[in-house]
Amino acid sequence: MNKPDGITYVPRRVYDAARRLEAACARVGCPSPNGVAEHRSDFRPTREGRMFWRQVWLFLMEEDCIPPGYVIKFVVVDNPALERLCSVTPRQLN
């Protein structure tokens, strides 16, 4: 992956939650966690909870909705200061 078309920086907690959600859906035979994550994002009791599950849903959607031929790089960021997904193009980084 020399020249990606886009780069998405994902907070570690979002990445981990998305993977746990995928594993849980696989265990019960749910074909895709996207609807589950979207549902969870709407019904969390706090604003922070809703924003967190929205991030999970956006991460899953971006991963699943990449058109053929489009190369995207996901970078998992362990810095707790990163609170949301950040998508950029390589041109924006220059």
Side-chain angles (χ1 to χ4, degrees):
M1 189 179 302
N2 295 339
K3 293 186 179 183
D5 297 303
I7 302 169
T8 295
Y9 297 92
V10 182
R12 171 64 65 184
R13 66 190 188 119
V14 172
Y15 181 84
D16 290 345
R19 294 295 164 244
R20 286 194 302 270
L21 186 60
E22 284 181 330
C25 286
R27 282 195 301 274
V28 299
C30 179
S32 171
N34 292 342
V36 176
E38 187 175 22
H39 173 78
R40 294 281 299 269
S41 75
D42 290 337
F43 293 99
R44 300 300 285 182
T46 65
R47 182 173 182 272
E48 290 78 13
R50 288 192 302 274
M51 290 176 65
F52 173 66
W53 281 100
R54 180 175 179 275
Q55 290 176 347
V56 172
W57 182 75
L58 288 172
F59 173 70
L60 291 169
M61 286 301 295
E62 188 163 36
E63 232 188 10
D64 287 346
C65 295
I66 298 169
Y70 188 86
V71 178
I72 191 164
K73 178 179 180 182
F74 289 96
V75 178
V76 180
V77 179
D78 286 315
N79 184 348
L82 181 68
E83 297 179 344
R84 61 185 179 86
L85 299 181
C86 298
S87 294
V88 297
T89 64
R91 185 182 302 162
Q92 290 173 297
L93 295 176
N94 294 333

